[in-house]
Amino acid sequence: MADNLVILFDEQTIGKKVEELALQISRDYAGKELVLICILKGAFTFTADLMRQLTIPATVEFIQVASYRGSMVASQDLVIKQDIVADIKGRHVLLVDTIIDTGKTLACVCSMFRNRGPSSLGVAALLDKKPRRILYVDITYCGFEIPDRFVVGYGLDFNEQYRNLPYIAALDAVDLR
Ligand code: IMP
Ligand code: MG
């Protein structure tokens, strides 16, 4: 392991939390069908693990967005690189992301999907980096709150590296923003 990686959540800890979240989601949506929307690329690992623990019928869609950092206005900040395929009108939708940082991505994606008329729209995030929040996001299912540290692994990258790590680690001593 590189010297500058400090493990915050190991594989077992993540697995237990994902199981807890899936149980809660399965209970809350009992008798309903859920559309999971995975926010690429960072959420692919979390979405796959979460989905396999659900006991309710669920389908999955993928969206990829690119954010332009700097602007304070979320809608001017985000470009949809790949949209979902399914029509979500009248359906129960759960947006899945691994980490919420400033909240700009989620706030923008939420308002976009809300305009498409889903029956309900929830958010599941494994990590909440609360000290960095700029835009309010209502996180329905949250795994862990973390301090303002840049983290990698479990789908999260730094320059496309580290997504394959099975744990989540803080990447220290790099200039990230
Ligand atoms: P937000 O729009 O500022 O909330 O940023 C959310 C996105 O930024 C996440 O979906 C991640 O792709 C990325 N991101 C934010 N913080 C981190 C981090 O600590 N490590 C890796 N990616 C991050
Ligand atoms: Mg990234």
Side-chain angles (χ1 to χ4, degrees):
M1 187 171 68
D3 287 340
N4 54 352
L5 288 183
V6 180
I7 296 183
L8 299 183
F9 304 104
D10 64 20
E11 212 175 335
Q12 200 191 358
T13 308
I14 295 169
K16 243 183 96 188
K17 183 59 78 176
V18 172
E19 212 180 305
E20 272 172 42
L21 293 173
L23 185 70
Q24 206 186 332
I25 293 166
S26 299
R27 280 189 188 142
D28 291 353
Y29 291 89
K32 294 172 182 157
E33 240 184 83
L34 191 56
V35 184
L36 298 176
I37 300 183
C38 169
I39 304 179
L40 293 172
K41 295 177 185 173
F44 80 102
T45 314
F46 178 41
T47 306
D49 283 353
L50 187 71
M51 191 175 189
R52 280 178 293 179
Q53 298 281 342
L54 293 177
T55 55
I56 49 165
T59 58
V60 66
E61 293 289 322
F62 299 91
I63 186 168
Q64 188 168 9
V65 296
S67 57
Y68 293 107
R69 309 240 152 203
S71 163
M72 299 289 285
V73 184
S75 57
Q76 294 176 356
D77 229 14
L78 213 73
V79 169
I80 309 298
K81 290 170 82 177
Q82 181 195 316
D83 203 347
I84 60 167
V85 175
D87 183 2
I88 57 165
K89 196 172 166 55
R91 302 175 72 185
H92 296 285
V93 172
L94 187 65
L95 293 170
V96 183
D97 206 348
T98 307
I99 189 163
I100 317 292
D101 185 27
T102 63
K104 287 181 183 180
T105 305
L106 228 342
C108 183
V109 166
C110 272
S111 73
M112 182 181 93
F113 285 129
R114 208 169 283 122
N115 287 337
R116 298 185 190 179
S119 271
S120 68
L121 186 63
V123 172
L126 186 63
L127 304 174
D128 180 4
K129 207 193 284 182
K130 243 188 190 151
R132 294 254 310 157
R133 195 64 35 82
I134 291 171
L135 290 182
Y136 173 78
V137 188
D138 186 12
I139 307 175
T140 329
Y141 305 95
C142 176
F144 305 101
E145 285 190 18
I146 62 165
D148 183 8
R149 290 175 85 178
F150 196 86
V151 292
V152 294
Y154 200 65
L156 296 174
D157 76 307
F158 173 60
N159 286 343
E160 294 301 324
Q161 297 298 309
Y162 305 111
R163 291 194 198 276
N164 55 316
L165 299 178
Y167 49 82
I168 292 167
L171 185 61
D172 286 341
V174 245
D175 187 17
L176 302 149
R177 298 186 187 106

